[in-house]
PDB file of all heavy atoms in Angstrom:
ATOM      1  N   ASN M 210       5.562  20.550  12.836  1.00 98.00           N
ATOM      2  CA  ASN M 210       4.359  20.959  12.231  1.00 98.00           C
ATOM      3  C   ASN M 210       4.708  22.162  11.270  1.00 98.00           C
ATOM      4  O   ASN M 210       4.770  23.329  11.618  1.00 98.00           O
ATOM      5  CB  ASN M 210       3.402  21.509  13.323  1.00 98.00           C
ATOM      6  CG  ASN M 210       2.134  21.974  12.818  1.00 98.00           C
ATOM      7  OD1 ASN M 210       1.751  21.719  11.656  1.00 98.00           O
ATOM      8  ND2 ASN M 210       1.372  22.770  13.656  1.00 98.00           N
ATOM      9  N   VAL M 222      12.452  23.204   1.639  1.00 98.00           N
ATOM     10  CA  VAL M 222      13.162  21.876   1.718  1.00 98.00           C
ATOM     11  C   VAL M 222      13.703  21.637   3.165  1.00 98.00           C
ATOM     12  O   VAL M 222      14.466  22.531   3.709  1.00 98.00           O
ATOM     13  CB  VAL M 222      14.403  21.909   0.719  1.00 98.00           C
ATOM     14  CG1 VAL M 222      15.180  20.623   0.852  1.00 98.00           C
ATOM     15  CG2 VAL M 222      13.871  22.115  -0.773  1.00 98.00           C
ATOM     16  N   TRP M 250       9.301  -6.528  33.764  1.00 98.00           N
ATOM     17  CA  TRP M 250       9.692  -5.306  34.528  1.00 98.00           C
ATOM     18  C   TRP M 250       8.526  -4.355  34.423  1.00 98.00           C
ATOM     19  O   TRP M 250       7.661  -4.552  33.650  1.00 98.00           O
ATOM     20  CB  TRP M 250      10.901  -4.667  33.910  1.00 98.00           C
ATOM     21  CG  TRP M 250      12.243  -5.552  33.904  1.00 98.00           C
ATOM     22  CD1 TRP M 250      12.365  -6.732  33.297  1.00 98.00           C
ATOM     23  CD2 TRP M 250      13.385  -5.185  34.556  1.00 98.00           C
ATOM     24  NE1 TRP M 250      13.560  -7.270  33.567  1.00 98.00           N
ATOM     25  CE2 TRP M 250      14.273  -6.234  34.365  1.00 98.00           C
ATOM     26  CE3 TRP M 250      13.823  -4.121  35.394  1.00 98.00           C
ATOM     27  CZ2 TRP M 250      15.585  -6.287  34.907  1.00 98.00           C
ATOM     28  CZ3 TRP M 250      15.126  -4.114  35.858  1.00 98.00           C
ATOM     29  CH2 TRP M 250      15.987  -5.152  35.606  1.00 98.00           C
ATOM     30  N   HIS M 309      -0.018 -16.272  15.629  1.00 96.00           N
ATOM     31  CA  HIS M 309      -0.283 -15.471  14.355  1.00 96.00           C
ATOM     32  C   HIS M 309       0.722 -14.672  13.808  1.00 96.00           C
ATOM     33  O   HIS M 309       0.583 -14.043  12.798  1.00 96.00           O
ATOM     34  CB  HIS M 309      -1.512 -14.607  14.712  1.00 96.00           C
ATOM     35  CG  HIS M 309      -2.768 -15.343  15.345  1.00 96.00           C
ATOM     36  ND1 HIS M 309      -3.348 -16.385  14.713  1.00 96.00           N
ATOM     37  CD2 HIS M 309      -3.336 -15.254  16.592  1.00 96.00           C
ATOM     38  CE1 HIS M 309      -4.345 -16.828  15.493  1.00 96.00           C
ATOM     39  NE2 HIS M 309      -4.358 -16.154  16.605  1.00 96.00           N
ATOM     40  N   ILE M 399       8.864  13.348  -0.694  1.00 98.00           N
ATOM     41  CA  ILE M 399       9.484  12.694   0.481  1.00 98.00           C
ATOM     42  C   ILE M 399      10.414  11.702  -0.220  1.00 98.00           C
ATOM     43  O   ILE M 399      10.082  10.769  -0.882  1.00 98.00           O
ATOM     44  CB  ILE M 399       8.430  11.943   1.313  1.00 98.00           C
ATOM     45  CG1 ILE M 399       7.326  12.858   1.792  1.00 98.00           C
ATOM     46  CG2 ILE M 399       9.073  11.185   2.467  1.00 98.00           C
ATOM     47  CD1 ILE M 399       6.073  12.154   2.435  1.00 98.00           C
ATOM     48  N   ASN M 401      14.501   9.605  -0.029  1.00 98.00           N
ATOM     49  CA  ASN M 401      15.773   9.231   0.676  1.00 98.00           C
ATOM     50  C   ASN M 401      15.595   9.058   2.156  1.00 98.00           C
ATOM     51  O   ASN M 401      16.504   9.214   2.914  1.00 98.00           O
ATOM     52  CB  ASN M 401      16.923  10.188   0.322  1.00 98.00           C
ATOM     53  CG  ASN M 401      17.167  10.410  -1.089  1.00 98.00           C
ATOM     54  OD1 ASN M 401      17.119   9.586  -1.926  1.00 98.00           O
ATOM     55  ND2 ASN M 401      17.262  11.689  -1.440  1.00 98.00           N
ATOM     56  N   CYS M 463      12.833   5.555  -0.814  1.00 98.00           N
ATOM     57  CA  CYS M 463      12.615   5.435   0.685  1.00 98.00           C
ATOM     58  C   CYS M 463      12.587   4.034   1.093  1.00 98.00           C
ATOM     59  O   CYS M 463      12.074   3.130   0.347  1.00 98.00           O
ATOM     60  CB  CYS M 463      11.261   6.108   1.090  1.00 98.00           C
ATOM     61  SG  CYS M 463      11.365   7.950   1.016  1.00 98.00           S
ATOM     62  N   GLY M 505       1.453  -3.064   1.980  1.00 98.00           N
ATOM     63  CA  GLY M 505       2.548  -2.272   1.780  1.00 98.00           C
ATOM     64  C   GLY M 505       2.233  -0.966   1.288  1.00 98.00           C
ATOM     65  O   GLY M 505       2.634   0.230   1.797  1.00 98.00           O
ATOM     66  N   ASN M 650       0.918 -10.972 -23.357  1.00 98.00           N
ATOM     67  CA  ASN M 650       2.406 -11.080 -23.294  1.00 98.00           C
ATOM     68  C   ASN M 650       3.002 -11.328 -21.907  1.00 98.00           C
ATOM     69  O   ASN M 650       4.113 -10.870 -21.555  1.00 98.00           O
ATOM     70  CB  ASN M 650       3.128  -9.899 -23.889  1.00 98.00           C
ATOM     71  CG  ASN M 650       2.726  -9.626 -25.365  1.00 98.00           C
ATOM     72  OD1 ASN M 650       1.871 -10.361 -25.973  1.00 98.00           O
ATOM     73  ND2 ASN M 650       3.299  -8.765 -26.069  1.00 98.00           N
ATOM     74  N   GLY M 776      -6.919  -0.173 -26.038  1.00 98.00           N
ATOM     75  CA  GLY M 776      -8.180   0.492 -26.212  1.00 98.00           C
ATOM     76  C   GLY M 776      -8.637   1.247 -24.951  1.00 98.00           C
ATOM     77  O   GLY M 776      -7.848   1.767 -24.115  1.00 98.00           O
ATOM     78  N   GLU M 780     -16.333   1.589 -18.725  1.00 97.00           N
ATOM     79  CA  GLU M 780     -17.181   2.587 -18.046  1.00 97.00           C
ATOM     80  C   GLU M 780     -16.684   3.982 -18.126  1.00 97.00           C
ATOM     81  O   GLU M 780     -17.502   4.878 -18.476  1.00 97.00           O
ATOM     82  CB  GLU M 780     -17.412   2.146 -16.550  1.00 97.00           C
ATOM     83  CG  GLU M 780     -18.679   2.480 -15.947  1.00 97.00           C
ATOM     84  CD  GLU M 780     -19.858   1.716 -16.629  1.00 97.00           C
ATOM     85  OE1 GLU M 780     -19.848   0.451 -16.435  1.00 97.00           O
ATOM     86  OE2 GLU M 780     -20.614   2.292 -17.252  1.00 97.00           O
ATOM     87  N   GLY M 801      15.110  -1.536 -18.788  1.00 96.00           N
ATOM     88  CA  GLY M 801      15.185  -0.377 -19.648  1.00 96.00           C
ATOM     89  C   GLY M 801      15.771  -0.728 -21.021  1.00 96.00           C
ATOM     90  O   GLY M 801      16.190   0.207 -21.759  1.00 96.00           O
TER      91      GLY M 801
END
Side-chain angles (χ1 to χ4, degrees):
N210 180 16
V222 177
W250 297 63
H309 306 302
I399 302 171
N401 308 314
C463 290
N650 297 7
E780 212 66 66

